[in-house]
């Protein structure tokens, strides 16, 4: 049986699935039930300074984007950090940690960008016995207007400075949670490393307006006729999150940094993909909010079965395995040639592939009078659009041409091995081994 336990920057948990800082981790009641359901750890909903209470809106705080089957694809929120009393939260964290010593509890914190504010809260958090802290430099709304959250996460110098304070006034691991609302994710990650962070976690939510009500002319969710941008998360953000994770995993100043992967993780497969890109564990929010805490059981059994089927005995066995295969575009092998192939037994003759290819691509699909669709190899550039628009899974596939065959489109002979090419058409300075 695969061993799912993780040791992430010295924080042990029975599996790599942590709940991200958000409503599911906002209170003792939730976190106890999450642990009973099987979650390996939680990042407690972000705590703020002692002082005036945080006040949330009293109208809808979520917006959504749906797939055709009304499955939630993207969730948008305008919620703030916890609006519960600091000391109530701290007492609850202490109690839950004492009762679940084998689970990870990380405390997310967001206080003003002043040394005194961090110096004041860190000993209180340390006293709870929690395993570490996560610095919320990512919330894109509400708190950022007050100079916190993403307002800090967008300025690498601030990240480094606050991380240093945390390493000075707190003895356990410090995770810096990054905002994706930035052009180059490697800059804030490198700043976190320079400040002494033990790890980064990403992504927090993406600036978004999910819809506009065309009767009231207000963005939704609408509070008394007005809306504000919120933070986008859920399955729709997974590709963005994975790209950012991979940039950190292979970045010159950031590679090797421990990463906690977040963003749209809904299934064991999503989690496995993040781990192959270098993540030591993953965090989940929207999937738990959509399907409930027990979704972790499918994640655990699915990951475990897949690992068994591949012979992976531990998470470390395959962590980062895909990183060497993430490369720059100019390193892609232009001598690799594939062609689309339509499985006539599966084809339902809907014609979507034909419409897409004929109108917008390479006119590489022929339609007969009886609506049989076939690929014209001499025109097909293997762009994959027909595969993407086909409603039937595996009906259209990309078939790699065998070495020695001639591409009828270009007359080019398929090479046995890229390494045998002395110059790369995209990168003439690269010469391959003899
Ligand atoms: C309603 C809601 C509230 C959130 N609150 C916080 C928060 O207090 N602190 C934080 O660091 N992230 C917060 N997040 C962001 C999540 O922790 C997570 O980074 C993001 O939702 C992406 O993960 P997901 O796609 O699995 O939801 C919140 C997300 C949602 C949906």
């Amino acid at each position: 049986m695969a061993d799912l336990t993780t040791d992430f920057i010295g924080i042990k948990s029975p599996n790599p699935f942590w709940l991200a800082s958000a409503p599911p981790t906002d209170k003792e009641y939730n976190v106890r039930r999450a642990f009973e359901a099987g979650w390996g750890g939680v990042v407690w909903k972000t705590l703020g300074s002692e002082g005036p209470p945080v006040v949330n809106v009293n109208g809808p705080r979520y917006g959504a984007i749906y797939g055709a089957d009304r499955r939630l694809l993207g969730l948008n929120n305008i919620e703030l950090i916890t609006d519960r009393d600091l000391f109530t939260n701290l007492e609850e964290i202490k109690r839950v940690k004492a009762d679940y010593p084998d689970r990870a509890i990380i405390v997310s914190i967001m206080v003003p960008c002043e040394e005194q504010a961090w110096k004041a809260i860190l000993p209180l958090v340390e006293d709870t016995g929690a395993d570490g802290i996560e610095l919320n430099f990512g919330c894109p709304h509400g708190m950022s207007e007050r100079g916190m959250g993403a307002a800090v996460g967008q300025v690498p110098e601030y990240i480094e400075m606050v991380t240093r304070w945390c390493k000075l006034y707190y003895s356990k691991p410090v995770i810096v949670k990054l905002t994706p609302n930035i052009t180059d994710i490697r800059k804030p990650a490198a700043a976190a490393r320079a400040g002494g962070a033990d790890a980064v976690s990403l992504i927090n939510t993406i600036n978004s307006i999910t819809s506009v009500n065309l009767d009231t002319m207000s963005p939704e969710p609408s509070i008394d006729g007005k809306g504000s941008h919120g933070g986008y998360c859920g399955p729709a953000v997974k590709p963005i999150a994975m790209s950012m994770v991979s940039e950190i995993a292979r970045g010159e100043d950031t590679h090797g940094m421990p990463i906690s992967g977040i963003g749209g993780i809904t299934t064991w497969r999503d989690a496995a993909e993040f781990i192959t890109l270098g993540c030591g564990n993953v965090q989940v929010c929207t999937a738990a909010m959509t399907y409930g805490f027990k979704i972790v059981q499918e994640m655990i059994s699915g990951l475990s079965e897949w690992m068994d089927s591949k012979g992976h005995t531990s998470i470390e066995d395959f962590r980062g395995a895909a990183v060497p295969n993430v490369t720059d575009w100019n390193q892609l092998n232009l001598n690799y040639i594939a062609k689309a192939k339509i499985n006539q037994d599966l084809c339902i003759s809907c014609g979507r592939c034909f419409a897409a290819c004929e109108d917008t691509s390479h006119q590489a699909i022929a339609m007969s009078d009886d609506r049989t669709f076939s690929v014209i190899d001499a025109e097909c550039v293997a762009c994959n659009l027909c595969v993407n628009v086909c409603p039937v899974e595996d009906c259209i596939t990309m078939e790699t041409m065998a070495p020695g065959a001639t591409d009828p489109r270009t007359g080019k002979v398929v090479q046995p091995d890229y390494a045998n090419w002395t110059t790369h058409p995209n990168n003439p300075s690269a010469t391959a081994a003899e």
Side-chain angles (χ1 to χ4, degrees):
M1 266 290 274
D3 176 7
L4 295 194
T5 58
T6 55
D7 181 339
F8 182 70
I9 54 171
I11 303 170
K12 296 190 172 48
S13 53
N15 61 59
F17 301 108
W18 291 4
L19 280 171
S21 175
T25 62
D26 192 26
K27 55 170 101 68
E28 179 173 1
Y29 176 80
N30 290 11
V31 174
R32 282 185 186 276
R33 291 186 66 245
F35 284 160
E36 288 308 312
W39 290 89
V42 301
V43 182
W44 204 275
K45 170 82 182 171
T46 305
L47 308 183
S49 293
E50 195 188 350
V54 166
V55 182
N56 269 299
V57 294
N58 287 303
R61 59 179 81 167
Y62 304 132
I65 297 288
Y66 300 104
D69 58 358
R70 211 168 189 275
R71 197 170 294 204
L72 188 81
L73 296 181
L75 184 71
N76 165 274
N77 86 87
I78 55 169
E79 181 176 289
L80 303 177
I81 62 172
T82 188
D83 51 16
R84 301 174 70 242
D85 172 65
L86 172 65
F87 291 96
T88 308
N89 272 304
L90 293 169
E91 279 163 26
E92 291 183 1
I93 293 166
K94 193 172 193 168
R95 266 201 305 269
V96 181
K97 182 63 205 174
D99 287 350
Y100 292 88
D102 68 322
R103 309 301 170 93
I105 299 190
I106 310 301
V107 179
S108 170
I109 310 176
M110 182 199 288
V111 296
C113 209
E114 297 154 8
E115 187 169 358
Q116 192 48 43
W118 289 91
K119 194 175 172 184
I121 196 167
L122 289 168
L124 305 175
V125 172
E126 182 121 26
D127 186 51
T128 61
D131 301 287
I133 54 174
E134 186 180 79
L135 315 187
N136 179 349
F137 294 155
C139 255
H141 49 264
M143 310 310 289
S144 48
E145 291 88 331
R146 306 174 202 182
M148 292 183 265
V152 178
Q154 287 161 340
V155 185
E157 292 77 14
Y158 291 171
I159 293 180
E160 183 176 339
M161 177 177 75
V162 178
T163 308
R164 271 189 211 290
W165 294 336
C166 292
K167 290 303 288 179
L168 191 62
Y169 300 119
Y170 183 75
S171 73
K172 291 184 176 173
V174 175
I175 303 169
V176 172
K177 183 168 181 181
L178 302 177
T179 174
N181 300 308
I182 189 155
T183 32
D184 184 348
I185 198 69
R186 293 168 298 185
K187 298 273 164 35
R193 176 176 257 181
D198 297 273
V200 287
S201 56
L202 67 156
I203 56 173
N204 208 312
T205 52
I206 302 174
N207 285 349
S208 57
I209 290 180
T210 35
S211 54
V212 174
N213 184 314
L214 293 179
D215 295 321
T216 63
M217 292 295 165
S218 168
E220 291 173 324
S222 174
I223 306 295
D224 195 23
K226 298 253 187 283
S228 156
H229 80 264
Y232 201 43
C233 53
V237 309
K238 180 188 147 199
I240 298 162
M242 292 214 299
S243 169
M244 290 187 163
V245 162
S246 77
E247 284 180 52
I248 293 174
R250 49 192 291 266
E252 205 172 314
D253 299 327
T254 53
H255 69 88
M257 280 191 91
I259 306 171
S260 183
I262 317 170
I265 295 164
T266 312
T267 65
W268 68 266
R269 185 180 287 273
D270 298 330
E273 290 176 17
F274 272 83
I275 294 167
T276 66
L277 289 172
C279 296
N281 71 7
V282 294
Q283 299 184 29
V284 175
C285 168
T286 303
M289 290 178 69
T290 312
Y291 302 109
F293 286 146
K294 286 190 178 162
I295 193 171
V296 73
Q297 292 162 9
E298 281 173 32
M299 292 179 177
I300 291 170
S301 58
L303 184 62
S304 169
E305 277 169 32
W306 173 78
M307 285 171 63
D308 285 346
S309 74
K310 295 285 180 190
H312 297 309
T313 53
S314 72
I315 297 290
E316 285 303 305
D317 258 11
F318 66 99
R319 188 175 68 79
V323 176
N325 294 328
V326 183
T327 188
D328 292 336
W329 196 96
N330 68 6
Q331 298 302 314
L332 297 178
N333 180 6
L334 292 196
N335 303 311
Y336 169 88
I337 299 171
K339 298 285 173 194
K341 194 162 180 224
I342 300 173
N343 181 331
Q344 300 300 340
D345 293 335
L346 293 177
C347 180
I348 57 171
S349 297
C350 69
R352 274 200 208 167
C353 60
F354 177 77
C357 190
E358 188 68 15
D359 290 356
T360 70
S361 295
H362 299 89
Q363 296 77 49
I365 295 182
M367 176 173 66
S368 69
D369 290 345
D370 66 347
R371 290 182 69 83
T372 300
F373 297 93
S374 52
V375 176
I376 307 162
D377 282 353
E379 303 296 340
C380 178
V381 301
C383 72
N384 214 39
L385 182 64
C386 54
V387 174
N388 299 142
V389 301
C390 177
V392 182
E393 201 175 350
D394 295 332
C395 174
I396 310 180
T397 48
M398 280 297 150
E399 306 285 313
T400 306
M401 289 187 72
T406 303
D407 179 357
R409 191 177 73 84
T410 59
K412 207 159 140 185
V413 177
V414 179
Q415 293 301 303
D417 184 358
Y418 166 53
N420 289 334
W421 282 69
T422 48
T423 55
H424 191 288
N426 275 336
N427 185 10
S429 63
T431 43
E434 289 295 305

